Amino acid sequence: MRQLFVIWHRYVGLLMTLFLVVAGVTGTMLAFYGELEALLHPHIMRITPVPGQQVMDPVALAQQVLERYPHTVLNRTPLHYESGKPMRYFLQPVPPATVASLQNNEIFIDPYTGAVLAERKWGDISQGLINLLPFMYRLHYSLAVDKWGRTLFGIVALLWTLDCIVGAYLTFPPRQASARSRPGGVVSAMVNWCRRWKKSWQVRRGSGFYKVSFDLHRAGGLWVWAMLFVFAWSGVAFNLAEIYRPVMTQLFASQQTENELPAINPAPASPGLNRQQALARGRVLMQQASTEKKFVIRFENRLTYLPNKSIYSYSVNSSLDVSDEVANTRVMFDAQDGSLLAHYYPGRAASGNTVTEWLLALHTARVGGVAMQVFVSLMGVTVTGLSLTGVYLWWRKRKAKKAAKGQVSRQKRSAVTAAG
């Protein structure tokens, strides 16, 4: 069985190498996505408000954006203004046109004046430096080929999750004869096992490059194993939800989200509540939920319209969220009459959703501040290093096997020649 796991780890690791190296290298930078964007584009990402000037109403600002960009819709209305930063709006074309038909789909707006600061087609590297970080993001989760790449990356994340378990098992020392029959045998065997396993956590000093590489690959994987598993399984959550959700639902209690609410066919041509009415309704429902569940609303985040389901989703950051950087406390209500459909409480109602919230927040470094960003960035380097050392170890073993076979062949030819 152990040999089968060795073969799995070796060849699945080789299969994943390209994906993990790309994810590792890009992840090193994406941990500081906002900071790097501000550094590259300070004229867009940094705003100095005039003293005494107030930000515009978010609904009025959204309407202004739509008037400037006809033949588009705005299904996500940002509500939260971060001091010194622009508001971002993601436009979609009026169906049946597709996003590909838009010249640009991300608009940066000065929230004080309503002026357009910049626009870009998110992730399109042909537009130059303005899309460097979004392009890195596309590489990170889909090799920049979007739908098919995202599915492929999800499959790799699933294999990586399983390989984390296999890799951990392979660090365990081989079994020895049981000492259960002797007094104190079980305890003695456990102590001996831990002593032998301790070697897997260490790097031998003064060894050759191959041995050091082997130790770094094995020990390095153990040192950060928990975070590797977090990255792998959260990668499944991001890219392969059709696998992630059923598994988590079986293991943990889960709440209903927008994804579980049914689509309407045919969907209404337009919502019964306009954006201003929907925002007012969302605020009322959220305040009621806050009073009932006794949580604190910190700031509004977004109003989202789902046209295929005729649903509005209103989200805030609350004391239920895992950090101040995550705003996933939500109410969902009917876009026609405003009737409440569901609540989503990220850190209280269901353990499965709490686990997911933490997995995604850790993956994206949205908890723990700068220290977590640095750690996630270093994890990108670690994932790259583990992948490359794995390839090197495979190549050395393959080279050694070829050399051994060549030696055997030469010996056979020599024996035949001598016999002749």
Side-chain angles (χ1 to χ4, degrees), residues 90-383:
F90 286 90
L91 301 175
Q92 293 179 301
V94 175
T98 63
V99 173
S101 65
L102 291 179
Q103 183 177 357
N104 293 297
N105 65 339
E106 184 180 12
I107 315 299
F108 297 85
I109 302 290
D110 184 325
Y112 292 95
T113 65
V116 176
L117 301 174
E119 55 185 73
R120 67 185 175 189
K121 192 163 191 176
W122 190 88
D124 185 355
I125 194 60
S126 67
Q127 292 184 343
L129 191 62
I130 194 171
N131 260 317
L132 177 61
L133 268 298
F135 180 71
M136 289 293 178
Y137 199 104
R138 286 182 62 212
L139 280 175
H140 183 75
Y141 74 83
S142 71
L143 290 181
V145 289
D146 299 328
K147 182 180 178 181
W148 295 109
R150 187 167 187 164
T151 300
L152 197 55
F153 244 117
I155 294 171
V156 168
L158 182 59
L159 291 174
W160 189 17
T161 302
L162 298 174
D163 195 51
C164 281
I165 299 170
V166 170
Y169 169 79
L170 292 176
T171 68
F172 297 163
R175 291 183 180 179
Q176 291 184 333
S178 176
R180 292 175 185 270
S181 59
R182 298 193 300 272
V186 174
V187 175
S188 177
M190 289 180 63
V191 170
N192 180 54
W193 186 89
C194 290
R195 186 181 297 115
R196 290 187 295 129
W197 191 38
K198 181 180 178 182
K199 296 177 182 179
S200 297
W201 295 77
Q202 300 171 337
V203 177
R204 290 167 287 186
R205 298 180 180 179
S207 303
F209 186 74
Y210 175 81
K211 290 184 178 179
V212 170
S213 297
F214 177 83
D215 288 349
L216 285 173
H217 185 78
R218 181 176 62 179
L222 281 173
W223 296 337
V224 294
W225 185 89
M227 199 62 187
L228 291 175
F229 187 84
V230 165
F231 280 145
W233 188 230
S234 59
V236 179
F238 278 122
N239 283 31
L240 212 60
E242 56 266 41
I243 298 295
Y244 179 85
R245 287 198 199 103
V247 171
M248 293 297 286
T249 301
Q250 288 297 316
L251 295 176
F252 303 100
S254 298
Q255 300 173 81
Q256 191 177 47
T257 67
E258 295 91 338
N259 295 313
E260 284 76 45
L261 293 173
I264 299 175
N265 189 19
S270 60
L273 302 179
N274 62 33
R275 194 176 277 105
Q276 190 68 62
Q277 292 169 329
L279 178 57
R281 180 57 177 163
R283 286 170 173 168
V284 169
L285 292 174
M286 186 62 73
Q287 190 59 56
Q288 291 173 350
S290 172
T291 301
E292 180 183 347
K293 296 295 182 179
K294 296 180 172 57
F295 61 84
V296 177
I297 300 171
R298 297 194 184 107
F299 60 81
E300 295 180 303
N301 178 49
R302 181 184 297 154
L303 179 68
T304 303
Y305 173 59
L306 287 72
N308 65 321
K309 300 184 179 186
S310 190
I311 291 171
Y312 276 113
S313 173
Y314 170 73
S315 65
V316 302
N317 171 271
S318 79
S319 53
L320 300 180
D321 284 290
V322 299
S323 79
D324 291 342
E325 299 179 50
V326 179
N328 277 339
T329 306
R330 306 194 295 278
V331 290
M332 290 147 271
F333 53 97
D334 191 291
Q336 301 303 316
D337 59 18
S339 58
L340 177 66
L341 298 176
H343 294 98
Y344 181 83
Y345 303 122
R348 182 180 295 178
S351 57
N353 299 112
T354 302
V355 170
T356 298
E357 291 290 327
W358 276 101
L359 284 174
L360 302 187
L362 289 170
H363 188 123
T364 55
R366 298 183 70 191
V367 63
V370 176
M372 190 63 189
Q373 288 178 285
V374 172
F375 179 66
V376 169
S377 184
L378 292 176
M379 280 298 302
V381 176
T382 301
V383 169

